[in-house]
Amino acid sequence: MRVVFVGEAVSEAGGLPFDGKNRAGSERRGGSGWRLAKILYTTPDKMRARYLFMNLLRGKGWDRHRAATKASLLRGSLMACGERAVIVLLGRRVAEAFGYRGEFFTLGEEPIGRLAYVSLPHPSGRSRVWNDEASVLLAQRALREAGVL
């Protein structure tokens, strides 16, 4: 099973998506990578080795059409690979780019059955929902239902 975490990057900072490092390259606890690793019971390095990551956008401004095109390409390539895949949608705009209308912390499936979605709030510090431990438990439950954990 393939698992792809899809987010949005709005900065021009280099490095891997959700890498848990600052611009100088040192570990930065508390960033998106660390928060996501905590939800997955792992470290950012092990997380990057096990899962795939993709940002729909880099740079300033959100381009809805460009994001939807990238989402469609990813969906098509995962469906063509023939194995079950889970796309973890990080943030409301990412979910909208995929046409996913479900609530956060829920599992949705394509009618074909090979593609599942888990919608989570973006793991950045701007998303205050992660300050509540219940949100982490809800995310873990949804990821477990999808077979990610």
Side-chain angles (χ1 to χ4, degrees), residues 98-127:
F98 278 85
Y100 185 76
R101 304 276 187 254
E103 294 295 317
F104 285 142
F105 309 113
T106 60
L107 171 66
E109 303 221 12
E110 290 274 335
I112 297 168
R114 286 192 181 156
L115 198 55
Y117 300 96
V118 175
S119 179
L120 301 177
H122 194 278
S124 73
R126 297 176 86 191
S127 182

PDB file of all heavy atoms in Angstrom, residues 98-127:
ATOM      1  N   PHE A  98      -8.474  18.286  -4.131  1.00  0.00           N
ATOM      2  CA  PHE A  98      -8.785  16.907  -4.492  1.00  0.00           C
ATOM      3  C   PHE A  98     -10.282  16.676  -4.658  1.00  0.00           C
ATOM      4  O   PHE A  98     -10.708  15.574  -4.966  1.00  0.00           O
ATOM      5  CB  PHE A  98      -8.236  15.943  -3.435  1.00  0.00           C
ATOM      6  CG  PHE A  98      -6.785  15.628  -3.618  1.00  0.00           C
ATOM      7  CD1 PHE A  98      -5.804  16.460  -3.098  1.00  0.00           C
ATOM      8  CD2 PHE A  98      -6.386  14.508  -4.327  1.00  0.00           C
ATOM      9  CE1 PHE A  98      -4.464  16.183  -3.273  1.00  0.00           C
ATOM     10  CE2 PHE A  98      -5.054  14.218  -4.501  1.00  0.00           C
ATOM     11  CZ  PHE A  98      -4.086  15.062  -3.985  1.00  0.00           C
ATOM     12  N   GLY A  99     -11.066  17.710  -4.410  1.00  0.00           N
ATOM     13  CA  GLY A  99     -12.514  17.566  -4.508  1.00  0.00           C
ATOM     14  C   GLY A  99     -13.115  16.825  -3.329  1.00  0.00           C
ATOM     15  O   GLY A  99     -14.247  16.362  -3.379  1.00  0.00           O
ATOM     16  N   TYR A 100     -12.353  16.724  -2.243  1.00  0.00           N
ATOM     17  CA  TYR A 100     -12.819  16.004  -1.059  1.00  0.00           C
ATOM     18  C   TYR A 100     -13.614  16.953  -0.175  1.00  0.00           C
ATOM     19  O   TYR A 100     -13.132  18.001   0.211  1.00  0.00           O
ATOM     20  CB  TYR A 100     -11.624  15.429  -0.292  1.00  0.00           C
ATOM     21  CG  TYR A 100     -12.029  14.572   0.883  1.00  0.00           C
ATOM     22  CD1 TYR A 100     -12.505  13.285   0.673  1.00  0.00           C
ATOM     23  CD2 TYR A 100     -11.950  15.044   2.174  1.00  0.00           C
ATOM     24  CE1 TYR A 100     -12.884  12.483   1.740  1.00  0.00           C
ATOM     25  CE2 TYR A 100     -12.320  14.256   3.245  1.00  0.00           C
ATOM     26  CZ  TYR A 100     -12.796  12.985   3.016  1.00  0.00           C
ATOM     27  OH  TYR A 100     -13.173  12.198   4.073  1.00  0.00           O
ATOM     28  N   ARG A 101     -14.833  16.575   0.160  1.00  0.00           N
ATOM     29  CA  ARG A 101     -15.718  17.440   0.934  1.00  0.00           C
ATOM     30  C   ARG A 101     -15.962  16.926   2.352  1.00  0.00           C
ATOM     31  O   ARG A 101     -16.775  17.472   3.073  1.00  0.00           O
ATOM     32  CB  ARG A 101     -17.068  17.568   0.216  1.00  0.00           C
ATOM     33  CG  ARG A 101     -16.980  18.059  -1.196  1.00  0.00           C
ATOM     34  CD  ARG A 101     -16.924  19.571  -1.246  1.00  0.00           C
ATOM     35  NE  ARG A 101     -16.995  20.046  -2.621  1.00  0.00           N
ATOM     36  CZ  ARG A 101     -15.971  20.534  -3.288  1.00  0.00           C
ATOM     37  NH1 ARG A 101     -14.791  20.599  -2.734  1.00  0.00           N
ATOM     38  NH2 ARG A 101     -16.109  20.963  -4.520  1.00  0.00           N
ATOM     39  N   GLY A 102     -15.282  15.864   2.744  1.00  0.00           N
ATOM     40  CA  GLY A 102     -15.484  15.296   4.078  1.00  0.00           C
ATOM     41  C   GLY A 102     -14.924  16.197   5.174  1.00  0.00           C
ATOM     42  O   GLY A 102     -14.171  17.136   4.918  1.00  0.00           O
ATOM     43  N   GLU A 103     -15.287  15.892   6.376  1.00  0.00           N
ATOM     44  CA  GLU A 103     -14.805  16.626   7.542  1.00  0.00           C
ATOM     45  C   GLU A 103     -13.377  16.178   7.889  1.00  0.00           C
ATOM     46  O   GLU A 103     -12.935  15.116   7.462  1.00  0.00           O
ATOM     47  CB  GLU A 103     -15.713  16.356   8.742  1.00  0.00           C
ATOM     48  CG  GLU A 103     -17.114  16.895   8.571  1.00  0.00           C
ATOM     49  CD  GLU A 103     -17.149  18.406   8.489  1.00  0.00           C
ATOM     50  OE1 GLU A 103     -16.439  19.070   9.271  1.00  0.00           O
ATOM     51  OE2 GLU A 103     -17.876  18.940   7.633  1.00  0.00           O
ATOM     52  N   PHE A 104     -12.692  16.990   8.684  1.00  0.00           N
ATOM     53  CA  PHE A 104     -11.386  16.576   9.198  1.00  0.00           C
ATOM     54  C   PHE A 104     -11.546  15.309  10.034  1.00  0.00           C
ATOM     55  O   PHE A 104     -12.592  15.052  10.618  1.00  0.00           O
ATOM     56  CB  PHE A 104     -10.768  17.666  10.063  1.00  0.00           C
ATOM     57  CG  PHE A 104     -10.212  18.829   9.297  1.00  0.00           C
ATOM     58  CD1 PHE A 104     -10.351  20.110   9.788  1.00  0.00           C
ATOM     59  CD2 PHE A 104      -9.536  18.658   8.101  1.00  0.00           C
ATOM     60  CE1 PHE A 104      -9.820  21.192   9.105  1.00  0.00           C
ATOM     61  CE2 PHE A 104      -9.006  19.726   7.408  1.00  0.00           C
ATOM     62  CZ  PHE A 104      -9.157  21.003   7.919  1.00  0.00           C
ATOM     63  N   PHE A 105     -10.485  14.528  10.093  1.00  0.00           N
ATOM     64  CA  PHE A 105     -10.402  13.296  10.881  1.00  0.00           C
ATOM     65  C   PHE A 105     -11.354  12.217  10.359  1.00  0.00           C
ATOM     66  O   PHE A 105     -11.840  11.394  11.124  1.00  0.00           O
ATOM     67  CB  PHE A 105     -10.677  13.559  12.369  1.00  0.00           C
ATOM     68  CG  PHE A 105      -9.861  14.668  12.948  1.00  0.00           C
ATOM     69  CD1 PHE A 105     -10.460  15.842  13.374  1.00  0.00           C
ATOM     70  CD2 PHE A 105      -8.485  14.563  13.046  1.00  0.00           C
ATOM     71  CE1 PHE A 105      -9.701  16.880  13.902  1.00  0.00           C
ATOM     72  CE2 PHE A 105      -7.721  15.586  13.572  1.00  0.00           C
ATOM     73  CZ  PHE A 105      -8.335  16.748  13.997  1.00  0.00           C
ATOM     74  N   THR A 106     -11.616  12.226   9.062  1.00  0.00           N
ATOM     75  CA  THR A 106     -12.505  11.213   8.480  1.00  0.00           C
ATOM     76  C   THR A 106     -11.793  10.482   7.351  1.00  0.00           C
ATOM     77  O   THR A 106     -10.839  10.981   6.766  1.00  0.00           O
ATOM     78  CB  THR A 106     -13.800  11.837   7.929  1.00  0.00           C
ATOM     79  OG1 THR A 106     -13.470  12.788   6.919  1.00  0.00           O
ATOM     80  CG2 THR A 106     -14.609  12.492   9.025  1.00  0.00           C
ATOM     81  N   LEU A 107     -12.316   9.299   7.060  1.00  0.00           N
ATOM     82  CA  LEU A 107     -11.801   8.468   5.976  1.00  0.00           C
ATOM     83  C   LEU A 107     -12.841   8.449   4.872  1.00  0.00           C
ATOM     84  O   LEU A 107     -14.023   8.241   5.117  1.00  0.00           O
ATOM     85  CB  LEU A 107     -11.558   7.044   6.491  1.00  0.00           C
ATOM     86  CG  LEU A 107     -11.214   5.974   5.465  1.00  0.00           C
ATOM     87  CD1 LEU A 107      -9.853   6.263   4.827  1.00  0.00           C
ATOM     88  CD2 LEU A 107     -11.214   4.607   6.125  1.00  0.00           C
ATOM     89  N   GLY A 108     -12.403   8.707   3.646  1.00  0.00           N
ATOM     90  CA  GLY A 108     -13.284   8.623   2.490  1.00  0.00           C
ATOM     91  C   GLY A 108     -12.629   7.741   1.442  1.00  0.00           C
ATOM     92  O   GLY A 108     -11.408   7.617   1.403  1.00  0.00           O
ATOM     93  N   GLU A 109     -13.433   7.098   0.604  1.00  0.00           N
ATOM     94  CA  GLU A 109     -12.887   6.201  -0.417  1.00  0.00           C
ATOM     95  C   GLU A 109     -13.462   6.529  -1.777  1.00  0.00           C
ATOM     96  O   GLU A 109     -14.611   6.941  -1.884  1.00  0.00           O
ATOM     97  CB  GLU A 109     -13.194   4.750  -0.065  1.00  0.00           C
ATOM     98  CG  GLU A 109     -12.661   4.380   1.302  1.00  0.00           C
ATOM     99  CD  GLU A 109     -12.048   3.009   1.362  1.00  0.00           C
ATOM    100  OE1 GLU A 109     -11.824   2.396   0.315  1.00  0.00           O
ATOM    101  OE2 GLU A 109     -11.776   2.568   2.470  1.00  0.00           O
ATOM    102  N   GLU A 110     -12.661   6.341  -2.809  1.00  0.00           N
ATOM    103  CA  GLU A 110     -13.133   6.471  -4.180  1.00  0.00           C
ATOM    104  C   GLU A 110     -14.083   5.310  -4.450  1.00  0.00           C
ATOM    105  O   GLU A 110     -13.899   4.224  -3.906  1.00  0.00           O
ATOM    106  CB  GLU A 110     -11.959   6.390  -5.165  1.00  0.00           C
ATOM    107  CG  GLU A 110     -11.041   7.576  -5.142  1.00  0.00           C
ATOM    108  CD  GLU A 110     -11.503   8.699  -6.047  1.00  0.00           C
ATOM    109  OE1 GLU A 110     -12.221   8.439  -7.021  1.00  0.00           O
ATOM    110  OE2 GLU A 110     -11.150   9.845  -5.752  1.00  0.00           O
ATOM    111  N   PRO A 111     -15.083   5.502  -5.304  1.00  0.00           N
ATOM    112  CA  PRO A 111     -16.005   4.400  -5.613  1.00  0.00           C
ATOM    113  C   PRO A 111     -15.300   3.145  -6.141  1.00  0.00           C
ATOM    114  O   PRO A 111     -15.760   2.036  -5.923  1.00  0.00           O
ATOM    115  CB  PRO A 111     -16.930   4.992  -6.678  1.00  0.00           C
ATOM    116  CG  PRO A 111     -16.809   6.460  -6.530  1.00  0.00           C
ATOM    117  CD  PRO A 111     -15.441   6.727  -5.974  1.00  0.00           C
ATOM    118  N   ILE A 112     -14.171   3.330  -6.804  1.00  0.00           N
ATOM    119  CA  ILE A 112     -13.433   2.188  -7.345  1.00  0.00           C
ATOM    120  C   ILE A 112     -12.850   1.350  -6.205  1.00  0.00           C
ATOM    121  O   ILE A 112     -12.664   0.161  -6.332  1.00  0.00           O
ATOM    122  CB  ILE A 112     -12.326   2.668  -8.309  1.00  0.00           C
ATOM    123  CG1 ILE A 112     -12.983   3.367  -9.494  1.00  0.00           C
ATOM    124  CG2 ILE A 112     -11.449   1.528  -8.765  1.00  0.00           C
ATOM    125  CD1 ILE A 112     -12.032   4.121 -10.369  1.00  0.00           C
ATOM    126  N   GLY A 113     -12.548   1.975  -5.086  1.00  0.00           N
ATOM    127  CA  GLY A 113     -12.109   1.248  -3.909  1.00  0.00           C
ATOM    128  C   GLY A 113     -10.615   1.117  -3.708  1.00  0.00           C
ATOM    129  O   GLY A 113     -10.179   0.611  -2.694  1.00  0.00           O
ATOM    130  N   ARG A 114      -9.808   1.548  -4.645  1.00  0.00           N
ATOM    131  CA  ARG A 114      -8.352   1.424  -4.472  1.00  0.00           C
ATOM    132  C   ARG A 114      -7.729   2.668  -3.859  1.00  0.00           C
ATOM    133  O   ARG A 114      -6.563   2.671  -3.526  1.00  0.00           O
ATOM    134  CB  ARG A 114      -7.685   1.184  -5.816  1.00  0.00           C
ATOM    135  CG  ARG A 114      -7.905  -0.195  -6.326  1.00  0.00           C
ATOM    136  CD  ARG A 114      -6.995  -0.449  -7.477  1.00  0.00           C
ATOM    137  NE  ARG A 114      -7.234  -1.786  -7.980  1.00  0.00           N
ATOM    138  CZ  ARG A 114      -6.970  -2.166  -9.181  1.00  0.00           C
ATOM    139  NH1 ARG A 114      -6.430  -1.317 -10.028  1.00  0.00           N
ATOM    140  NH2 ARG A 114      -7.201  -3.390  -9.565  1.00  0.00           N
ATOM    141  N   LEU A 115      -8.486   3.738  -3.773  1.00  0.00           N
ATOM    142  CA  LEU A 115      -7.950   5.006  -3.313  1.00  0.00           C
ATOM    143  C   LEU A 115      -8.764   5.499  -2.129  1.00  0.00           C
ATOM    144  O   LEU A 115      -9.986   5.590  -2.197  1.00  0.00           O
ATOM    145  CB  LEU A 115      -8.013   6.022  -4.452  1.00  0.00           C
ATOM    146  CG  LEU A 115      -7.162   7.259  -4.362  1.00  0.00           C
ATOM    147  CD1 LEU A 115      -5.691   6.927  -4.162  1.00  0.00           C
ATOM    148  CD2 LEU A 115      -7.319   8.089  -5.623  1.00  0.00           C
ATOM    149  N   ALA A 116      -8.071   5.777  -1.027  1.00  0.00           N
ATOM    150  CA  ALA A 116      -8.734   6.288   0.173  1.00  0.00           C
ATOM    151  C   ALA A 116      -8.124   7.630   0.541  1.00  0.00           C
ATOM    152  O   ALA A 116      -6.965   7.919   0.215  1.00  0.00           O
ATOM    153  CB  ALA A 116      -8.572   5.305   1.319  1.00  0.00           C
ATOM    154  N   TYR A 117      -8.908   8.455   1.204  1.00  0.00           N
ATOM    155  CA  TYR A 117      -8.460   9.769   1.655  1.00  0.00           C
ATOM    156  C   TYR A 117      -8.654   9.879   3.155  1.00  0.00           C
ATOM    157  O   TYR A 117      -9.662   9.423   3.685  1.00  0.00           O
ATOM    158  CB  TYR A 117      -9.296  10.882   1.013  1.00  0.00           C
ATOM    159  CG  TYR A 117      -9.245  10.933  -0.479  1.00  0.00           C
ATOM    160  CD1 TYR A 117     -10.220  10.325  -1.259  1.00  0.00           C
ATOM    161  CD2 TYR A 117      -8.212  11.598  -1.122  1.00  0.00           C
ATOM    162  CE1 TYR A 117     -10.179  10.378  -2.642  1.00  0.00           C
ATOM    163  CE2 TYR A 117      -8.156  11.648  -2.499  1.00  0.00           C
ATOM    164  CZ  TYR A 117      -9.143  11.040  -3.253  1.00  0.00           C
ATOM    165  OH  TYR A 117      -9.087  11.090  -4.617  1.00  0.00           O
ATOM    166  N   VAL A 118      -7.690  10.496   3.810  1.00  0.00           N
ATOM    167  CA  VAL A 118      -7.846  10.895   5.203  1.00  0.00           C
ATOM    168  C   VAL A 118      -7.602  12.395   5.223  1.00  0.00           C
ATOM    169  O   VAL A 118      -6.579  12.872   4.740  1.00  0.00           O
ATOM    170  CB  VAL A 118      -6.835  10.188   6.141  1.00  0.00           C
ATOM    171  CG1 VAL A 118      -6.960  10.719   7.553  1.00  0.00           C
ATOM    172  CG2 VAL A 118      -7.052   8.684   6.114  1.00  0.00           C
ATOM    173  N   SER A 119      -8.557  13.124   5.755  1.00  0.00           N
ATOM    174  CA  SER A 119      -8.450  14.584   5.802  1.00  0.00           C
ATOM    175  C   SER A 119      -8.068  15.022   7.212  1.00  0.00           C
ATOM    176  O   SER A 119      -8.761  14.691   8.179  1.00  0.00           O
ATOM    177  CB  SER A 119      -9.785  15.201   5.392  1.00  0.00           C
ATOM    178  OG  SER A 119      -9.723  16.602   5.452  1.00  0.00           O
ATOM    179  N   LEU A 120      -6.961  15.749   7.310  1.00  0.00           N
ATOM    180  CA  LEU A 120      -6.489  16.265   8.591  1.00  0.00           C
ATOM    181  C   LEU A 120      -6.227  17.758   8.477  1.00  0.00           C
ATOM    182  O   LEU A 120      -5.894  18.242   7.397  1.00  0.00           O
ATOM    183  CB  LEU A 120      -5.177  15.579   8.998  1.00  0.00           C
ATOM    184  CG  LEU A 120      -5.174  14.070   9.157  1.00  0.00           C
ATOM    185  CD1 LEU A 120      -3.764  13.583   9.478  1.00  0.00           C
ATOM    186  CD2 LEU A 120      -6.145  13.647  10.240  1.00  0.00           C
ATOM    187  N   PRO A 121      -6.332  18.484   9.588  1.00  0.00           N
ATOM    188  CA  PRO A 121      -5.897  19.880   9.555  1.00  0.00           C
ATOM    189  C   PRO A 121      -4.403  19.929   9.242  1.00  0.00           C
ATOM    190  O   PRO A 121      -3.663  18.981   9.546  1.00  0.00           O
ATOM    191  CB  PRO A 121      -6.160  20.383  10.970  1.00  0.00           C
ATOM    192  CG  PRO A 121      -7.121  19.409  11.564  1.00  0.00           C
ATOM    193  CD  PRO A 121      -6.853  18.100  10.893  1.00  0.00           C
ATOM    194  N   HIS A 122      -3.949  21.007   8.632  1.00  0.00           N
ATOM    195  CA  HIS A 122      -2.520  21.116   8.345  1.00  0.00           C
ATOM    196  C   HIS A 122      -1.747  21.075   9.661  1.00  0.00           C
ATOM    197  O   HIS A 122      -2.163  21.685  10.637  1.00  0.00           O
ATOM    198  CB  HIS A 122      -2.218  22.412   7.584  1.00  0.00           C
ATOM    199  CG  HIS A 122      -0.857  22.406   6.992  1.00  0.00           C
ATOM    200  ND1 HIS A 122       0.261  22.720   7.727  1.00  0.00           N
ATOM    201  CD2 HIS A 122      -0.421  22.074   5.760  1.00  0.00           C
ATOM    202  CE1 HIS A 122       1.336  22.603   6.959  1.00  0.00           C
ATOM    203  NE2 HIS A 122       0.938  22.206   5.765  1.00  0.00           N
ATOM    204  N   PRO A 123      -0.628  20.363   9.716  1.00  0.00           N
ATOM    205  CA  PRO A 123       0.102  20.212  10.979  1.00  0.00           C
ATOM    206  C   PRO A 123       0.967  21.409  11.376  1.00  0.00           C
ATOM    207  O   PRO A 123       1.775  21.306  12.279  1.00  0.00           O
ATOM    208  CB  PRO A 123       0.968  18.972  10.737  1.00  0.00           C
ATOM    209  CG  PRO A 123       1.186  18.954   9.269  1.00  0.00           C
ATOM    210  CD  PRO A 123      -0.078  19.503   8.660  1.00  0.00           C
ATOM    211  N   SER A 124       0.790  22.545  10.736  1.00  0.00           N
ATOM    212  CA  SER A 124       1.615  23.707  11.080  1.00  0.00           C
ATOM    213  C   SER A 124       1.187  24.293  12.423  1.00  0.00           C
ATOM    214  O   SER A 124       0.104  23.988  12.946  1.00  0.00           O
ATOM    215  CB  SER A 124       1.475  24.793  10.005  1.00  0.00           C
ATOM    216  OG  SER A 124       0.213  25.422  10.110  1.00  0.00           O
ATOM    217  N   GLY A 125       2.018  25.145  12.966  1.00  0.00           N
ATOM    218  CA  GLY A 125       1.719  25.810  14.222  1.00  0.00           C
ATOM    219  C   GLY A 125       0.546  26.779  14.119  1.00  0.00           C
ATOM    220  O   GLY A 125      -0.033  27.163  15.124  1.00  0.00           O
ATOM    221  N   ARG A 126       0.187  27.165  12.919  1.00  0.00           N
ATOM    222  CA  ARG A 126      -0.941  28.084  12.741  1.00  0.00           C
ATOM    223  C   ARG A 126      -2.274  27.385  12.990  1.00  0.00           C
ATOM    224  O   ARG A 126      -3.285  28.027  13.206  1.00  0.00           O
ATOM    225  CB  ARG A 126      -0.933  28.667  11.336  1.00  0.00           C
ATOM    226  CG  ARG A 126       0.308  29.498  11.076  1.00  0.00           C
ATOM    227  CD  ARG A 126       0.341  29.972   9.660  1.00  0.00           C
ATOM    228  NE  ARG A 126      -0.411  31.218   9.585  1.00  0.00           N
ATOM    229  CZ  ARG A 126      -0.765  31.793   8.458  1.00  0.00           C
ATOM    230  NH1 ARG A 126      -0.460  31.241   7.318  1.00  0.00           N
ATOM    231  NH2 ARG A 126      -1.422  32.929   8.463  1.00  0.00           N
ATOM    232  N   SER A 127      -2.291  26.068  12.917  1.00  0.00           N
ATOM    233  CA  SER A 127      -3.513  25.300  13.123  1.00  0.00           C
ATOM    234  C   SER A 127      -3.626  24.970  14.608  1.00  0.00           C
ATOM    235  O   SER A 127      -3.007  24.030  15.101  1.00  0.00           O
ATOM    236  CB  SER A 127      -3.469  24.018  12.287  1.00  0.00           C
ATOM    237  OG  SER A 127      -4.660  23.305  12.440  1.00  0.00           O
TER     238      SER A 127
END
